[in-house]
Amino acid sequence: MLALRLLNVVAPAYFLCISLVTLALQLFLFLPSMRQDPAAARLFPPALLHGALFLFLSTNALGNYVLVIQNSPDDPDACQGPPARRAPCPPPSTHFCRVCARVTLRHDHHCFFTGNCIGSRNMRNFVLFCLYTSLACLYSMVAGVAYISAALSTSFAHPLAFLTLLPTSISQFFSGAVLGSEMFVILMLYLWFAIGLACAGFCCHQLLLIVRGQTRHQVRKGVAVRARPWRKNLQEVFGKRWLLGLLVPMFNVGGK
């Protein structure tokens, strides 16, 4: 239990460090390298478009990350009280989380990177957090590949060029042909690639469970769920204002 509680602190710190490093690389390396030739006038400079797109992705990723932490899953006590004042409750699926030391409704799993349980109130924010984190990482990888391609005069036209980049760069780094900043960017490329694929896979898996009306906790325990139309399952999690939630971070409105 002590190891899990320690991981609950280390994992969020790791995520925030990666976010700060990514932001620093975007501001001090990638954006300056995209400055256009003054002789070639364009309506939208590449640096402006890149900065706007990265700001959109990172704002949604970090915004939903904060909302996942703020919106802890409903406590069962919230479903008690007079019927006239009783709030609509999610389907009964309670679970006691030893890390959080509380009982949550519609429990899915405990996310160590947010240090919080994922349940009825923050499921939508968690899915969007995974989605935009994946997009931000993969987009940063593309920008980093463009930077390394220009800095080292390397072509990535061959499919295996990215796979052989790391071992080749390590030998060149010790020989002095590759700078320390360039080597750091190359290492970050593989980290962004791994995090981006992991978040994308987790997002797709979570969406599949939502469509089925299941949670990961129910799958692990073998709990049967009542069959419902997949549209109602999606609406229960993403709500009627789901399109607005894709554009800006907002609280989970459920099926309201």
Side-chain angles (χ1 to χ4, degrees):
M1 180 54 62
L2 179 61
L4 293 179
R5 294 188 182 276
L6 181 61
L7 181 61
N8 208 43
V9 176
V10 174
Y14 171 77
F15 171 77
L16 293 177
C17 288
I18 294 297
S19 301
L20 291 176
V21 169
T22 302
L23 179 61
L25 290 176
Q26 294 283 349
L27 292 178
F28 299 109
L29 283 183
F30 300 161
L31 283 177
S33 66
M34 294 181 182
R35 291 176 181 174
Q36 64 175 16
D37 185 1
R42 295 182 182 179
L43 181 60
F44 298 105
L48 178 62
L49 294 176
H50 169 75
L53 181 56
F54 176 76
L55 180 62
F56 171 75
L57 296 177
S58 59
T59 299
N60 278 277
L62 294 177
N64 283 288
Y65 178 82
V66 173
L67 291 179
V68 169
I69 299 176
Q70 289 183 348
N71 300 336
S72 299
D74 295 316
D75 189 281
D77 293 336
C79 298
Q80 300 177 359
R85 298 181 180 180
R86 187 177 302 171
C89 299
S93 178
T94 60
H95 174 71
F96 178 78
C97 178
R98 296 183 299 169
V99 181
C100 294
R102 63 169 176 240
V103 178
T104 59
L105 278 172
R106 196 65 181 172
H107 179 85
D108 188 86
H109 70 283
H110 181 87
C111 176
F112 288 98
F113 284 99
T114 60
N116 200 4
C117 282
I118 307 301
S120 57
R121 293 186 59 194
N122 56 7
M123 175 59 72
R124 182 184 68 172
N125 297 124
F126 176 75
V127 172
L128 294 179
F129 160 68
C130 292
L131 172 64
Y132 280 107
T133 300
S134 174
L135 293 177
C137 287
L138 295 178
Y139 182 72
S140 297
M141 187 195 72
V142 172
V145 166
Y147 172 81
I148 291 298
S149 178
L152 302 181
S153 300
T154 304
S155 175
F156 290 90
H158 195 276
L160 298 179
F162 182 76
L163 298 178
T164 59
L165 175 63
L166 182 59
T168 304
S169 301
I170 291 177
S171 61
Q172 293 178 350
F173 172 72
F174 287 106
S175 64
V178 176
L179 300 177
S181 60
E182 297 169 348
M183 190 65 213
F184 182 76
V185 172
I186 292 173
L187 293 176
M188 289 299 299
L189 292 181
Y190 289 89
L191 185 60
W192 286 327
F193 182 71
I195 296 177
L197 288 186
C199 288
F202 204 92
C203 180
C204 293
H205 175 68
Q206 206 69 49
L207 285 175
L208 180 61
L209 292 178
I210 292 174
V211 169
R212 293 177 177 176
Q214 293 178 307
T215 63
R216 293 181 62 191
H217 176 68
Q218 291 174 335
V219 174
R220 289 195 303 267
K221 297 297 182 180
V223 178
V225 294
R226 59 191 179 96
R228 293 197 313 173
W230 62 272
R231 294 180 183 273
K232 289 187 177 180
N233 294 329
L234 285 176
Q235 188 181 48
E236 182 183 27
V237 174
F238 292 96
K240 297 180 180 179
R241 294 186 291 175
W242 61 271
L243 183 57
L244 182 60
L246 287 177
L247 301 178
V248 293
M250 59 181 296
F251 288 99
N252 195 351
V253 293
K256 298 179 182 179

